[in-house]
Amino acid sequence: MRELDIDALAARLTVIESIALIPRVTSTHDLARTIVAECLENELPPPAAALVALEQSAGRGRGARSWSSPANGGIYSTTIHSLPATELSLYPLHMGNVVATFLRQEYGIEAGLKWPNDILVGGRKIAGVLLEARTQEGTSHLLISIGINVVALSDERAANATSIADEAGRREPLLGQAIAAFLEFLDQRLARAHVAASILPLWRDLAVHGDGDRVTSIIGDRAINGLWRGIDDNGHALIESNGEIVAVSAGDVIIQ
Amino acid sequence: MNLKDILELIDKVADRNIGLVEIEQAGVRVRIEGRSPQPAAAAPGAESRGASFEPAGAPLPPATPSPGRDAQPAAPPEDDTDPAWHIVTSPIVGTFYRASNPESEIFVNVGDRVTKGKVLCIIEAMKLMNEIESDIDGVIARIYPQNGQPIEYGERLFAVRI
C-alpha cells in the first residue's frame, strides 16, 4: 500500500510500539489473542502492537456476529494495550468516544454512540468496537478491536451500514491515509491520562439515545422493555421499566 | 456424547466400582452414580446405579450419606464445603460464557485438569469480554452457571478440586 509508510507511522506513535500490516487474516482479534496468550504463557509482557489487516476472512463482532471485512474496504484493527486493571471498566465507553470523535474531527461525520459503543450515523453502523481483556496481578492486557467502514458500501450493505466515503461526501478517502490517521488518533488517546470523569460526559454528549426513548435490553434470553434514562457513573445503561430504574451492565440495548 | 457413549460409561462405572462420575459437554451435565455398597441380600441392578441428565449449572442434590456408605471409607463430600474444592468466583457483574464466541471451543469441561493461569470462561460486561483465569492448579469439579447466564459480583463460577 503506497500511501501507507508503516515505519514512518510507527516512529510517530508513542504508546503503540509496533504495527503489523497484514494482507489477509481470519481475524486480527483472534490473532492478537493468540499473541497475548503465548506471551503470558512464557512470562513475557505482551507487545504494545497494532495489527491491521487489509482483509479478514472471519472478522469478529460480538458473540456470533461477524464483521464484514472485504479486501481494502475498511480499517480492521486490533491493538494490544496493557493498563492498570482499575482503569478497565470504562474502556468500552472510552473506545466508543475515541472512534466517534475521530470520525467527527477527521472527516466531519456526525457519528453517535449506541450503548455501549456501536458507532452510528443516521441509525446505520459505520464502526464497531470489540474489547477483550486478560487480567493478571493488577494489570489488564486489553485487545482493542475496531472496525471502521472506509470505502463506499454496496447497496445491499448500505441498508443498515454506512462508511466514511458514503458520509464524508468527499472524494473517496485513501485507505492507507485513513489507517494512518486512525492509528495516530488512537495512540494519542491511549497516551492521555485516563480520566474517568471526562469519559462519561463525552459519552453522554455523543449518545444517540434521548431521555425517554423506548428501548429493549436483551441479556441472554431475558428482555427488559422500557425507557432510556441515561447511564450511571459506572457506565451502565439505566432503563425505566414498570416504574423502576434498572441498571444494565451487559447484553444489548435495542432502540425501538 | 451420544446415548451409546453414555451407556458404555454407565457400564464402566458399574464394573469398576467407581462411585460417581460427572461429565459435562455441550451444556449438558451427565452424572453417573456407580454401585453403592448394598446389603448382601440386595439385588444388584438398576437401583444400585443410575445416570441423571441435567442442564449445566443446575444445582446438584447434596450428597447425603447413605447407611450403606458407613461400612466403607468415607467418600469425599461432593459440595463446595469440601476443603479440597477451591471456588472460583466472578470478579465482576456480567454475562457468563464458556467459550470466546459461539463457534469456538469451550474453555473447560468438568473433569479437565487446569493449571494456574488457564482461561476458564469469559464474563462480558458492556461488550468487554473479560477472560477469567484459574488461580489454582486442579481439576474442574463443577461449573455453576449456564452459558449465557447473568452473573453477579462474587458469584460462584467453578469448583476446582485441588
Side-chain angles (χ1 to χ4, degrees):
Chain A
M1 181 168 286
R2 273 176 305 172
E3 71 272 18
L4 183 57
D5 182 340
I6 288 290
D7 291 338
L9 173 60
R12 292 198 296 274
L13 305 183
T14 56
V15 174
I16 299 170
E17 292 171 353
S18 57
I19 303 166
L21 184 66
I22 306 161
R24 190 167 193 268
V25 69
T26 48
S27 150
T28 56
H29 190 90
D30 291 348
L31 179 59
R33 186 200 295 116
T34 305
I35 292 170
V36 170
E38 190 76 15
C39 288
L40 296 180
E41 203 160 297
N42 292 288
E43 299 184 354
L44 296 168
L51 313 180
V52 181
L54 298 179
E55 182 182 3
Q56 295 184 112
S57 57
R60 291 260 322 268
R62 179 172 166 273
R65 291 175 203 162
S66 60
W67 184 262
S68 178
S69 315
N72 302 309
I75 300 169
Y76 317 129
S77 71
T78 299
T79 301
I80 301 170
H81 181 55
S82 298
L83 68 156
T86 50
E87 296 181 358
L88 193 60
S89 66
L90 287 179
Y91 256 71
L93 303 187
H94 184 31
M95 288 299 108
N97 287 346
V98 167
V99 180
T101 307
F102 166 71
L103 293 171
R104 284 169 172 259
Q105 290 188 4
E106 189 72 21
Y107 297 102
I109 294 171
E110 292 291 310
L113 293 168
K114 179 172 89 68
W115 190 88
N117 53 24
D118 282 343
I119 298 102
L120 307 179
V121 182
R124 291 185 297 169
K125 197 157 173 174
I126 192 168
V129 176
L130 181 65
L131 303 177
E132 185 166 320
R134 196 154 165 189
T135 299
Q136 288 188 337
E137 292 163 6
T139 298
S140 291
H141 305 292
L142 180 63
L143 309 183
I144 304 169
S145 292
I146 294 175
I148 305 175
N149 300 325
V150 175
V151 304
L153 302 183
S154 62
D155 288 347
E156 190 189 340
R157 286 185 63 204
N160 52 17
T162 188
S163 70
I164 292 175
D166 288 318
E167 298 298 331
R170 298 181 194 164
R171 188 165 60 85
E172 184 95 340
L174 291 171
L175 179 59
Q177 288 173 359
I179 291 171
F182 170 68
L183 287 181
E184 280 196 73
F185 193 87
L186 176 63
D187 184 73
Q188 288 164 12
R189 292 305 189 275
L190 294 177
R192 288 185 185 177
H194 183 83
V195 182
S198 67
I199 292 171
L200 295 166
L202 178 57
W203 193 93
R204 290 182 178 114
D205 284 348
L206 292 168
V208 298
H209 305 283
D211 187 53
D213 285 355
R214 297 207 75 83
V215 293
T216 300
S217 161
I218 297 176
I219 307 169
D221 53 6
R222 204 176 64 181
I224 301 170
N225 291 305
L227 306 176
W228 175 263
R229 293 298 183 207
I231 55 170
D232 65 16
D233 288 348
N234 296 313
H236 299 168
L238 298 174
I239 296 172
E240 183 181 338
S241 180
N242 297 324
E244 284 186 23
I245 304 281
V246 182
V248 174
S249 65
D252 259 339
V253 166
I254 296 168
I255 302 168
Q256 298 299 300
Chain B
M1 176 172 284
N2 59 32
L3 185 61
K4 184 170 163 286
D5 296 332
I6 293 167
L7 292 174
E8 279 179 7
L9 196 57
I10 290 171
D11 283 341
K12 280 181 187 164
V13 169
D15 291 347
R16 296 180 191 179
N17 278 337
I18 298 169
L20 176 80
V21 168
E22 277 182 40
I23 291 174
E24 187 169 330
Q25 199 170 56
V28 175
R29 176 181 294 144
V30 179
R31 177 182 164 100
I32 300 172
E33 291 185 41
R35 190 187 303 269
S36 56
Q38 297 289 321
E47 300 100 341
S48 65
R49 65 185 193 190
S52 67
F53 307 88
E54 56 195 306
L60 292 168
T64 50
S66 64
R69 276 194 180 155
D70 295 342
Q72 297 287 320
E78 291 290 337
D79 65 35
D80 55 16
T81 58
D82 186 338
W85 280 25
H86 173 81
I87 305 299
V88 179
T89 58
S90 179
I92 49 170
V93 177
T95 308
F96 174 83
Y97 292 110
R98 295 189 56 198
S100 59
N101 67 67
E103 283 85 41
S104 298
E105 213 173 302
I106 284 173
F107 290 117
V108 287
N109 284 301
V110 169
D112 286 357
R113 179 163 290 282
V114 296
T115 53
K116 186 180 176 187
K118 160 79 178 165
V119 176
L120 302 179
C121 68
I122 280 180
I123 305 289
E124 180 199 350
M126 291 165 60
K127 239 169 83 181
L128 166 59
M129 309 294 165
N130 292 278
E131 295 186 345
I132 308 300
E133 297 179 354
S134 179
D135 51 1
I136 201 161
D137 295 352
V139 174
I140 300 294
R142 187 169 293 183
I143 301 172
Y144 293 99
Q146 296 190 47
N147 193 49
Q149 183 180 317
I151 295 293
E152 296 299 323
Y153 172 79
E155 193 168 331
R156 294 180 306 179
L157 302 175
F158 297 90
V160 181
R161 188 178 289 117
I162 49 179

